[in-house]
């Protein structure tokens, strides 16, 4: 599960206003930064050794220590709810769900659940849940 905590993780990652910045936890010194010209809020998750950002309809995977872009994937729907579990990233929004490979960014599947409506999506596997996506 993505929620494994490393008490020695040296960086705090901050995402706002189109920027993703990693700073040293104890000093605030900027270690790396990336700029994205996206007007949407970012979702942050931390698969082992990586930073996963969910922007409106895109997932971006960065190396935790360097900020290097490892992969980026255009999504068929917004990345409102995200759960990382093992080698899969599960994404939900507006009555849709999808799965992406955490190592490659490959879209493994997408379900629009036609005829079921476009409500907020909660995602979960035992012990790892994203409760709601706050869709518009």
């Amino acid at each position: 599960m993505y929620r494994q905590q490393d008490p020695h993780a040296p960086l705090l990652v901050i995402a706002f206003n189109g920027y993703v910045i990693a700073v040293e936890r104890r000093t605030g010194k900027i270690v790396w930064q990336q700029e994205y010209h996206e007007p949407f809020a970012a979702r942050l998750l931390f698969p082992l050794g990586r930073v996963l950002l969910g922007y409106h309809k895109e997932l971006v995977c960065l190396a935790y220590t360097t900020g290097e872009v490892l992969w980026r994937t255009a999504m068929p729907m917004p990345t409102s709810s995200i759960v990382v579990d093992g080698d899969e990233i599960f994404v939900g929004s507006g009555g849709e769900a999808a799965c992406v490979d955490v190592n490659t960014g490959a879209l493994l599947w997408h379900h629009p659940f036609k005829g079921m409506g476009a409500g907020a999506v909660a995602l979960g596997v035992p012990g790892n849940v994203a409760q709601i996506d706050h869709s518009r």
Side-chain angles (χ1 to χ4, degrees):
M1 288 191 296
Y2 89 95
R3 293 194 58 103
Q4 294 173 333
Q5 294 182 8
D6 179 357
H8 305 289
L11 303 177
L12 168 69
V13 179
I14 304 159
F16 71 97
N17 201 30
Y19 291 92
V20 182
I21 305 162
V23 300
E24 290 179 351
R25 291 171 60 129
R26 304 285 288 176
T27 67
K29 177 184 172 192
I30 295 174
V31 176
W32 57 260
Q33 74 181 46
Q34 293 280 352
E35 184 174 356
Y36 299 93
H37 298 285
E38 296 291 335
F40 304 100
R43 308 275 190 276
L44 283 174
L45 289 97
F46 295 88
L48 192 58
R50 297 174 223 166
V51 177
L52 180 66
L53 296 117
Y55 286 110
H56 181 61
K57 287 189 170 185
E58 182 176 46
L59 290 175
V60 180
C61 186
L62 307 173
Y64 173 75
T65 57
T66 65
E68 174 190 1
V69 177
L70 301 175
W71 54 259
R72 33 176 10 113
T73 298
M75 296 298 293
M77 81 282 200
T79 58
S80 301
S81 293
I82 305 174
V83 167
V84 177
D85 197 65
D87 287 336
E88 291 101 17
I89 303 165
F90 301 101
V91 178
S93 183
E96 298 183 46
C99 180
V100 172
D101 183 288
V102 76
N103 299 302
T104 65
L107 181 65
L108 301 176
W109 54 260
H110 169 243
H111 285 295
F113 300 109
K114 292 186 188 247
M116 294 183 184
V121 175
L123 300 169
V125 295
N128 194 352
V129 176
Q131 285 294 1
I132 194 161
D133 71 5
H134 302 290
S135 292
R136 293 180 189 169

